[in-house]
Amino acid sequence: MTKFLEKNINKIIGIIIILLIGTFYFINLFNIKEYNTYFFYMDTDISIRIFTNNKNKAEKALKKAEDIYKDYHMLTDKYNKYDGIININYINTNNSNDKYLKIDKRLYEMLEYGIKYYDITNGLININIGNITDVWKKYRDNKSGIPTYDELKNSGEIDINQIVLLDKYRMLNNKPNIDLGAISKGYTTEIVGNYLESIGINKYIINAGGNVKVGEHYKGEKYKIGVQSPIDISKTIDIVKKNNTSVVMSGDYIRNYEYDGVLYSHIIDPNTLFPANNIKSVCVVTENSGLADVLSTALFLMDIDDGKKFISDFDDVEVLWYTNDNKIIKTDGFNYNE
């Protein structure tokens, strides 16, 4: 018996170590708790849920995540100024004679991102469309009437080339009218998700309105993310069962208003200057929340055939369209409800 133990002692020790590691793993697994926070930025209710056994780390992470949303909210705010911050409102409305504006690195990079996707989407994502969105916002807020095409056309330029970025985080003081509404939520949500993962928090759920980003499941399963019905938001039309992904929806049921029996969404086609009405909604599933946000807006502005052709150039992106006649059309890989 002694010789047997001597011969196999290393194997026995190895088994004991594996058992101890497994025990500690399951103890930690059962000690995982949910920590959450809720706030309102970017005209959106935002919730973050993280799952960890480290309370102090969780509380610091949630505070930092909220600070990120707050910072980007102020930087991208089109309608309000903030002391000491050169934000979108300041860029659009300042009366200084300065030839250049020195802007925050984070805002500079977001403007670069918007200009990049102007080219990729053939101008459908146009962050200099603020003159048009301002007119529509006035009518939407008043809930009365719609603008004429001449009123929209005469409201000002929407030329993307009016936004000129220079070195050292400077831009020409060209008095553009920038609106980052098409990219800000998804872009910021991706930054927050990357931050959480960078500090070792991989189990999380971020819900920023129609923008959902999830990490690993806290029970080792798959998250179930409902695709909302555009005609009855209390119902779902599909389920995305997936981890480490983003699910983003765009549609005419979000921030709209009705006039004379017609529903007008907040998503403006820069070619027609009017809200798009090709479909009722579109859902994009891909890993990067910023990309999903951009693509969902661009696809909402296209008819489905053009959208299918456009999306074929992207890897690991799947799409669900909800048509005006209440049909559901999916890309071949949109089969997550299994």
Side-chain angles (χ1 to χ4, degrees):
M1 181 65 69
T2 302
K3 289 183 178 180
F4 175 81
L5 287 174
E6 288 177 354
K7 186 176 181 181
N8 293 278
I9 190 70
N10 289 334
K11 292 182 180 179
I12 294 170
I13 290 172
I15 291 170
I16 291 172
I17 290 173
I18 290 171
L19 288 172
L20 287 172
I21 291 173
T23 301
F24 283 125
Y25 171 80
F26 283 109
I27 289 173
N28 284 334
L29 182 64
F30 288 123
N31 281 336
I32 286 179
K33 295 181 180 179
E34 176 184 331
Y35 300 88
N36 55 61
T37 187
Y38 305 88
F39 43 86
F40 186 86
Y41 291 117
M42 298 179 174
D43 199 26
T44 300
D45 289 307
I46 301 169
S47 68
I48 303 177
R49 300 163 62 193
I50 61 178
F51 305 88
T52 180
N53 56 10
N54 190 326
K55 179 180 179 181
N56 185 54
K57 185 176 185 179
E59 291 175 345
K60 288 181 178 179
L62 289 175
K63 177 62 169 63
K64 176 63 175 178
E66 181 174 353
D67 287 344
I68 293 172
Y69 273 108
K70 180 180 179 181
D71 288 347
Y72 277 93
H73 166 80
M74 291 190 294
L75 287 169
T76 61
D77 194 334
K78 189 178 188 307
Y79 300 104
N80 298 285
K81 288 184 171 64
Y82 301 91
D83 290 342
I85 298 177
I86 294 181
N87 69 349
I88 292 300
N89 179 276
Y90 182 90
I91 292 170
N92 290 347
T93 64
N94 83 91
N95 294 316
S96 75
N97 293 319
D98 297 335
K99 187 174 181 180
Y100 310 109
L101 294 176
K102 180 71 178 292
I103 63 175
D104 189 288
K105 176 178 181 287
R106 294 167 294 180
L107 182 55
Y108 183 96
E109 290 174 346
M110 190 182 286
L111 293 176
E112 281 188 317
Y113 189 82
I115 293 170
K116 169 186 172 182
Y117 278 99
Y118 175 89
D119 294 329
I120 291 173
T121 62
N122 296 315
L124 289 178
I125 298 298
N126 185 344
I127 62 172
N128 198 40
I129 199 172
N131 287 321
I132 307 302
T133 57
D134 283 348
V135 175
W136 278 104
K137 182 178 185 301
K138 178 182 67 176
Y139 281 90
R140 187 168 64 248
D141 290 348
N142 292 334
K143 293 182 169 52
S144 176
I146 60 170
T148 65
Y149 177 79
D150 287 341
E151 181 181 358
L152 293 164
K153 188 68 176 176
N154 295 330
S155 65
E157 292 290 336
I158 62 170
D159 184 359
I160 195 71
N161 294 315
Q162 198 175 1
I163 304 173
V164 181
L165 301 179
L166 306 167
D167 61 351
K168 300 178 180 178
Y169 307 116
R170 298 179 304 158
M171 64 182 298
L172 284 183
N173 188 15
N174 272 354
K175 307 296 190 300
N177 196 331
I178 300 171
D179 187 334
L180 294 174
I183 67 174
S184 58
K185 280 195 301 181
Y187 185 97
T188 307
T189 297
E190 183 66 18
I191 289 173
V192 171
N194 289 340
Y195 159 70
L196 293 176
E197 293 175 13
S198 74
I199 61 170
I201 295 179
N202 299 312
K203 300 176 176 66
Y204 61 86
I205 304 169
I206 305 171
N207 189 345
N211 298 58
V212 177
K213 183 175 178 64
V214 298
E216 292 292 332
H217 196 282
Y218 59 99
K219 289 185 178 179
E221 301 172 1
K222 288 184 179 181
Y223 287 112
K224 298 176 183 177
I225 307 163
V227 180
Q228 200 171 40
S229 167
I231 58 175
D232 184 350
I233 61 174
S234 67
K235 296 180 179 180
T236 58
I237 55 176
D238 209 319
I239 301 290
V240 176
K241 296 179 182 177
K242 203 172 189 304
N243 296 335
N244 299 309
T245 195
S246 297
V247 179
V248 177
M249 289 192 68
S250 291
D252 63 9
Y253 63 100
I254 305 170
R255 282 188 289 168
N256 58 42
Y257 79 104
E258 186 174 335
Y259 176 72
D260 201 19
V262 179
L263 196 67
Y264 295 91
S265 79
H266 69 290
I267 304 174
I268 308 301
D269 186 335
N271 295 314
T272 66
L273 309 184
F274 275 75
N277 60 1
N278 299 302
I279 53 177
K280 287 185 177 177
S281 70
V282 62
C283 175
V284 174
V285 179
T286 191
E287 182 177 350
N288 186 294
S289 179
L291 176 61
D293 201 6
V294 166
L295 294 182
S296 69
T297 300
L299 289 168
F300 188 77
L301 295 168
M302 302 179 190
D303 64 40
I304 294 175
D305 287 340
D306 287 341
K308 286 181 176 180
K309 183 177 179 181
F310 171 73
I311 210 68
S312 66
D313 292 333
F314 295 84
D315 295 327
D316 301 319
V317 175
E318 303 297 339
V319 182
L320 179 152
W321 291 268
Y322 195 98
T323 70
N324 287 329
D325 55 356
N326 301 322
K327 294 179 181 177
I328 295 173
I329 297 174
K330 306 177 186 180
T331 51
D332 293 339
F334 201 108
N335 53 356
Y336 302 109
N337 191 10
E338 297 179 354

